[in-house]
Amino acid sequence: MPSPRFTLDRSSPVPLYFQVAEQLEQAIVSGEIEAGERLENEIAMAQDLGLSRPTMRQAIQVLVDKGMLVRRRGVGTQVVRGQVHRPVELTSLFDDLSASGHQPHTKLLSIEQVGASEEIAEELQVSPDAPVWSVRRLRSIGEEPLALMHNYLPCDVVELGGVDLETQGLYAFLRDAGFVIRVARQRISARGVSGEESALLDEPEDSPLLTMQRTAYDNSGRAVEFGRHAYRPSLYSFDMTLVDR
Amino acid sequence: MPSPRFTLDRSSPVPLYFQVAEQLEQAIVSGEIEAGERLENEIAMAQDLGLSRPTMRQAIQVLVDKGMLVRRRGVGTQVVRGQVHRPVELTSLFDDLSASGHQPHTKLLSIEQVGASEEIAEELQVSPDAPVWSVRRLRSIGEEPLALMHNYLPCDVVELGGVDLETQGLYAFLRDAGFVIRVARQRISARGVSGEESALLDEPEDSPLLTMQRTAYDNSGRAVEFGRHAYRPSLYSFDMTLVDR
DNA sequence: GAGTGGTCTAGACCACCTC
DNA sequence: AGGTGGTCTAGACCACTCA
């Protein structure tokens, strides 16, 4: 039975369950606990760490929700086999690529205030023709164009005047501006490249594009951003882990 | 402050937190609790229902995880605005379409045992060349071909001989055979249609296809199924809700 | 029958937000 | 200052699995 030694800091602002979850995750990804292996039962683990059982359960639940552990009543908790892919998270493409060591950069194609179309108005929960920011950006990696992004944000919610969206990702800006994005709904599909896109993305006519449209909501449940993005499928895909709960 | 009346059955095998979550969700989707509205605080709700606070919290957490509610410390719990899309779930395409009232049907193109390629072997956690089932199916809706599905399952785990995969979805079969699928990892991208696909899917040359590959794991963490699917993007897209936790 | 996770209780203290 | 959700405790009983 694997028994990694975890260290807890009860004076830390980081919750105990989170400290345990982090170290348990590390033990799994590092291979200290092997794929398929069964963990010690949660009551014993709690005792070992001087925690209550609910707190230990909460820590384990974090990793169950990430798809790294599976629990079976009467049996125990096991590590899921198979390579751990990176889950879909609420980060921008910019963050994604920075993390993977590439050098992404962004070109601002246009930024203007326009009246919301019927669809945009519905997605952003504003009146039709209400003023919204319309931002078009081209994201590239090295010399390769990667994605064409078209975002809309309600003018009465967000002030984009003077914001440098080439240096800073949109989500990073929103975070700095005090918007906590908690929920997003998105739809992924595909279509052929259109005329203007063909040149911008350096793709020949009739090339397939991967498309994603997303509406993001802040922690008061208000729609903050709607975007339509088109990715070159040779350079981008969406990875995710689904967990049945 | 909205106060829907919930009914609890303490003798039911359905957990109390789940009974509350179901009725709360119903109150939200029916509009009894409006979008953007704040809920009563969780201590009062627990008292109203004669529940402990942890149980009430667990019920609310179910809907937070679904992206229907957002909680803010010091403020309260609010209903997320915006249309509720259906989230990605661990169901087959067959289930998806049945639920939406269409008449889908499946044609079994081929089923055979083959030796696992290197990639398949890695995904299914079996040795290279180990025997795996290879199943190819064409799913249609009415007269319209919809998706081409190619699945692989380890022979030593699943017995597919004599199984009618035209009447029953693969996931429904696995469920009936005692496999509880708890975790799946998937990757979504796009590509152009290939020669053979073009005829089967009734798509002209150079049409874009939406692709998904998925590995599913049962509740012991073992890889049970790997699939590569190609969808006609005009007829299919992936909807999902992301929740920051 | 022994061991596991699933649910539930009745409190407590704290961090954060709003007024 | 008052109210909210976030965390944590120390138990309890139950359902399920497996030997």
Side-chain angles (χ1 to χ4, degrees):
Chain A
M1 197 69 76
S3 302
R5 294 181 204 108
F6 297 151
T7 60
L8 296 182
D9 178 2
R10 298 191 92 100
S11 69
S12 162
V14 178
L16 292 173
Y17 80 88
F18 196 81
Q19 294 182 37
V20 176
E22 273 183 322
Q23 295 176 60
L24 192 49
E25 177 169 3
Q26 184 53 36
I28 293 170
V29 300
S30 74
E32 187 180 350
I33 308 179
E34 284 173 26
E37 198 169 3
R38 236 190 66 198
L39 264 51
E40 204 179 2
N41 77 67
E42 55 190 41
I43 296 179
M45 291 180 77
Q47 229 163 17
D48 291 350
L49 292 169
L51 293 172
S52 69
R53 186 187 166 199
T55 301
M56 191 64 226
R57 265 186 78 76
Q58 195 176 0
I60 293 174
Q61 190 61 42
V62 171
L63 301 188
V64 170
D65 290 342
K66 285 190 179 182
M68 304 180 68
L69 294 176
V70 282
R71 290 200 270 215
R72 275 184 295 168
R73 190 193 310 219
V75 179
T77 304
Q78 284 173 287
V79 178
V80 172
R81 279 174 260 259
Q83 189 190 342
V84 177
H85 301 158
R86 196 160 44 90
V88 170
E89 283 164 357
L90 279 174
T91 56
S92 68
L93 181 55
F94 188 87
D95 296 336
D96 288 353
L97 292 171
S98 300
S100 55
H102 294 97
Q103 288 304 321
H105 51 100
T106 305
K107 184 178 177 187
L108 185 61
L109 300 176
S110 69
I111 177 168
E112 55 182 335
Q113 293 196 22
V114 301
S117 70
E118 202 165 312
E119 188 196 0
I120 306 292
E122 184 169 345
E123 290 289 347
L124 291 179
Q125 302 288 121
V126 299
S127 315
D129 297 323
V132 295
W133 291 102
S134 168
V135 182
R136 290 177 70 243
R137 293 169 296 162
L138 178 67
R139 186 120 334 154
S140 305
I141 181 166
E143 294 303 308
E144 288 284 346
L146 183 59
L148 202 52
M149 301 178 289
H150 198 165
N151 293 89
Y152 300 90
L153 302 89
C155 293
D156 60 352
V157 173
V158 187
E159 176 52 56
L160 280 188
V163 176
D164 179 2
L165 288 173
E166 299 203 334
T167 317
Q168 191 181 35
L170 182 57
Y171 273 60
F173 160 71
L174 288 172
R175 192 164 47 243
D176 294 349
F179 292 96
V180 181
I181 304 298
R182 280 251 182 279
V183 179
R185 302 205 168 100
Q186 66 183 31
R187 170 170 292 187
I188 298 172
S189 192
R191 59 173 169 77
V193 72
S194 77
E196 189 200 14
E197 288 168 337
S198 179
L200 285 167
L201 289 173
D202 193 22
E203 286 275 357
E205 289 263 340
D206 296 323
S207 293
L209 291 183
L210 182 63
T211 64
M212 187 268 278
Q213 73 171 51
R214 173 167 60 188
T215 308
Y217 303 84
D218 71 2
N219 60 4
S220 74
R222 181 177 52 182
V224 169
E225 179 258 338
F226 173 71
R228 277 190 226 283
H229 302 175
Y231 304 87
R232 295 174 69 188
S234 57
L235 297 175
Y236 203 74
S237 63
F238 292 94
D239 285 12
M240 65 200 73
T241 299
L242 309 180
V243 179
D244 188 19
R245 0 175 70 246
Chain B
M1 196 70 72
S3 302
R5 293 182 205 104
F6 296 151
T7 60
L8 296 182
D9 178 2
R10 298 192 90 101
S11 70
S12 162
V14 178
L16 292 173
Y17 79 88
F18 196 81
Q19 294 183 37
V20 176
E22 273 184 322
Q23 295 177 60
L24 192 49
E25 176 168 4
Q26 184 52 36
I28 293 169
V29 299
S30 74
E32 187 182 349
I33 308 179
E34 285 174 26
E37 198 170 3
R38 235 190 67 199
L39 263 51
E40 204 179 3
N41 78 67
E42 55 189 39
I43 296 179
M45 291 180 77
Q47 229 162 20
D48 291 351
L49 292 170
L51 293 173
S52 69
R53 187 187 166 199
T55 300
M56 192 62 226
R57 264 187 78 76
Q58 195 176 2
I60 293 174
Q61 189 62 42
V62 171
L63 301 188
V64 171
D65 289 343
K66 286 190 179 181
M68 304 180 68
L69 294 176
V70 283
R71 291 201 269 215
R72 274 185 296 168
R73 189 192 312 218
V75 178
T77 304
Q78 283 173 288
V79 179
V80 172
R81 280 174 259 261
Q83 187 189 345
V84 177
H85 301 158
R86 195 161 43 90
V88 170
E89 282 164 359
L90 280 173
T91 55
S92 68
L93 181 55
F94 188 89
D95 296 337
D96 288 354
L97 291 169
S98 300
S100 54
H102 295 97
Q103 288 304 321
H105 51 100
T106 305
K107 184 177 178 190
L108 186 62
L109 301 177
S110 69
I111 177 168
E112 53 181 337
Q113 293 196 20
V114 301
S117 70
E118 202 164 312
E119 188 196 0
I120 305 293
E122 182 169 347
E123 289 290 346
L124 291 179
Q125 302 288 119
V126 299
S127 315
D129 297 323
V132 295
W133 291 102
S134 168
V135 182
R136 291 176 71 244
R137 293 169 296 162
L138 177 68
R139 188 120 333 154
S140 305
I141 181 165
E143 294 301 310
E144 288 283 345
L146 183 59
L148 202 51
M149 300 178 291
H150 197 165
N151 293 90
Y152 300 89
L153 302 89
C155 293
D156 61 350
V157 173
V158 188
E159 176 51 58
L160 281 187
V163 176
D164 180 3
L165 289 172
E166 298 204 335
T167 320
Q168 191 181 34
L170 182 57
Y171 273 58
F173 160 71
L174 288 172
R175 192 163 47 243
D176 293 350
F179 292 96
V180 181
I181 303 297
R182 280 251 182 279
V183 179
R185 302 208 167 98
Q186 67 183 32
R187 168 170 295 185
I188 298 172
S189 192
R191 59 173 170 78
V193 72
S194 77
E196 188 201 14
E197 288 170 336
S198 179
L200 285 167
L201 288 174
D202 193 22
E203 285 275 357
E205 289 263 340
D206 296 322
S207 293
L209 291 182
L210 182 63
T211 63
M212 187 267 278
Q213 72 170 53
R214 173 166 61 188
T215 308
Y217 303 84
D218 71 2
N219 60 3
S220 74
R222 182 177 51 184
V224 169
E225 179 258 339
F226 173 71
R228 280 190 224 281
H229 301 175
Y231 305 87
R232 295 174 69 188
S234 57
L235 297 175
Y236 202 74
S237 62
F238 292 94
D239 286 11
M240 66 200 73
T241 299
L242 309 181
V243 179
D244 190 20
R245 0 176 72 244

